């Protein structure tokens, strides 16, 4: 059974950075891409970007370009999401999720999710 | 403002059938990308409910069904149960001049009366 276990809650000051980890087990880490999705309090889901560990290449949502960095360490089956220049609007639960991608069929979805990491940005 | 549009809330009595709509555009659902649905119980992570427009992962009851037509999709829940009370999100992929990526609906809160 695939499991994604994320790091614990964080409290950060405006202008600082946060790095959240997502450790995978029970599957072949390198074969699947990992995405990061966030959910502000009382709000919907928002895709931030993703990475294919075997290639090490990440792609980002336009909204977060330049402010988010997604990396992966195949040796520990762990993906990371670092968000910089934090502001109060970045207060949210951040989820990692495993992507299922079938480009030819136009199928892109998430089959497993981490438990979420609450990041609070406050002065 | 979400790329996919869902009603903010729906409700139904136990045993009834409800549907949740998800409307997109020519750059996502209308472009042929499949629609997927997630159920989010209070305080928990989203869980895959329907993938590939109408397929249920193992363990999801057949009371849940999905469909897609044109630029829209729907999730139907029949035989409503109290445990179905949750937020439901549709998701697809969007490819436009401004970029490509995974997109979600704003979510629909289902209340079981």
């Amino acid at each position: 059974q695939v499991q994604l276990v994320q790091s614990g809650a964080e409290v950060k000051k405006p202008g600082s950075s946060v790095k959240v980890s997502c450790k995978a087990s029970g599957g072949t880490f390198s074969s699947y891409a990992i995405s990061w999705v966030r959910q502000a309090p009382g709000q919907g889901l928002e895709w931030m970007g993703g990475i294919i560990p075997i290639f090490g290449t990440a792609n980002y949502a336009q909204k977060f370009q330049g402010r988010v960095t997604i990396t992966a360490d195949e040796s520990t089956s762990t993906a990371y999401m670092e968000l910089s220049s934090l502001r109060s609007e970045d207060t949210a639960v951040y989820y990692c999720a495993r992507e299922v991608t079938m480009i030819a069929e136009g199928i892109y979805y998430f089959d497993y999710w981490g438990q979420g990491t609450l990041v609070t940005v406050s002065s | 403002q979400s790329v996919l549009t869902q009603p903010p809330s729906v409700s139904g009595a136990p045993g009834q059938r409800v549907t949740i709509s998800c409307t997109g555009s020519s750059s996502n659902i209308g472009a042929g990308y499949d629609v997927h649905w997630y159920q989010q119980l209070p305080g928990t992570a989203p869980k895959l409910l329907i993938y590939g427009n109408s397929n249920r992962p193992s363990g999801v009851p057949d009371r849940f069904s999905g469909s897609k037509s044109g630029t829209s999709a729907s999730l139907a829940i029949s035989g409503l149960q109290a445990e179905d009370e949750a937020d439901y999100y549709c998701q697809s992929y969007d490819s436009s001049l401004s970029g490509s990526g995974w997109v979600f609906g704003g979510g629909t809160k289902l209340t079981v009366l």
Side-chain angles (χ1 to χ4, degrees), chain A residues 28-49:
Chain A
T28 307
F29 178 71
S30 297
S31 300
Y32 288 87
I34 296 288
S35 265
W36 289 88
V37 176
R38 79 176 187 180
Q39 185 172 37
Q43 302 300 309
L45 302 168
E46 182 176 36
W47 177 73
M48 300 177 69

Side-chain angles (χ1 to χ4, degrees), chain A residues 74-122:
Chain A
E74 286 187 83
S75 67
T76 60
S77 300
T78 303
Y80 300 90
M81 185 283 300
E82 184 170 23
L83 187 62
S84 62
S85 302
L86 290 170
R87 34 207 189 232
S88 58
E89 309 91 87
D90 294 318
T91 293
V93 175
Y94 290 77
Y95 294 102
C96 61
R98 193 178 81 163
E99 298 179 12
V100 174
T101 303
M102 296 178 227
I103 297 174
E105 294 85 353
I107 295 175
Y108 301 77
Y109 64 92
F110 306 110
D111 61 351
Y112 292 99
W113 295 68
Q115 83 276 18
T117 297
L118 175 62
V119 175
T120 303
V121 182
S122 174

Side-chain angles (χ1 to χ4, degrees), chain B residues 48-105:
Chain B
L48 180 64
L49 193 66
I50 296 286
Y51 67 95
N53 302 322
S54 58
N55 301 291
R56 288 184 307 276
S58 173
V60 173
D62 60 6
R63 302 186 295 104
F64 295 90
S65 62
S67 63
K68 172 192 163 183
S69 178
T71 58
S72 297
S74 290
L75 171 71
I77 309 171
S78 60
L80 264 182
Q81 299 181 4
E83 68 221 44
D84 298 334
E85 191 160 288
D87 293 324
Y88 293 84
Y89 293 90
C90 62
Q91 175 257 309
S92 186
Y93 194 83
D94 188 277
S95 183
S96 64
L97 289 176
S98 58
S100 300
W102 310 60
V103 292
F104 290 93

Side-chain angles (χ1 to χ4, degrees), chain A residues 1-91:
Chain A
Q1 178 73 345
V2 173
Q3 272 199 307
L4 300 175
V5 179
Q6 299 182 220
S7 49
E10 303 260 13
V11 179
K12 294 293 183 179
K13 300 284 189 189
S16 67
S17 298
V18 68
K19 191 170 186 177
V20 181
S21 67
C22 169
K23 184 172 176 61
S25 63
T28 307
F29 178 71
S30 297
S31 300
Y32 288 87
I34 296 288
S35 265
W36 289 88
V37 176
R38 79 176 187 180
Q39 185 172 37
Q43 302 300 309
L45 302 168
E46 182 176 36
W47 177 73
M48 300 177 69
I51 188 167
I52 306 174
I54 196 170
F55 298 128
T57 53
N59 64 315
Y60 304 112
Q62 195 167 33
K63 174 178 177 177
F64 298 100
Q65 286 272 5
R67 215 161 61 93
V68 67
T69 304
I70 296 173
T71 56
D73 182 343
E74 286 187 83
S75 67
T76 60
S77 300
T78 303
Y80 300 90
M81 185 283 300
E82 184 170 23
L83 187 62
S84 62
S85 302
L86 290 170
R87 34 207 189 232
S88 58
E89 309 91 87
D90 294 318
T91 293

Side-chain angles (χ1 to χ4, degrees), chain B residues 14-61:
Chain B
Q16 285 189 331
R17 180 180 185 270
V18 297
T19 61
I20 298 172
S21 61
C22 174
T23 303
S25 68
S26 59
S27 63
N28 41 70
I29 300 174
Y33 294 109
D34 279 13
V35 178
H36 320 284
W37 293 89
Y38 302 87
Q39 178 191 60
Q40 187 176 34
L41 298 170
T44 69
K47 168 193 163 188
L48 180 64
L49 193 66
I50 296 286
Y51 67 95
N53 302 322
S54 58
N55 301 291
R56 288 184 307 276
S58 173
V60 173

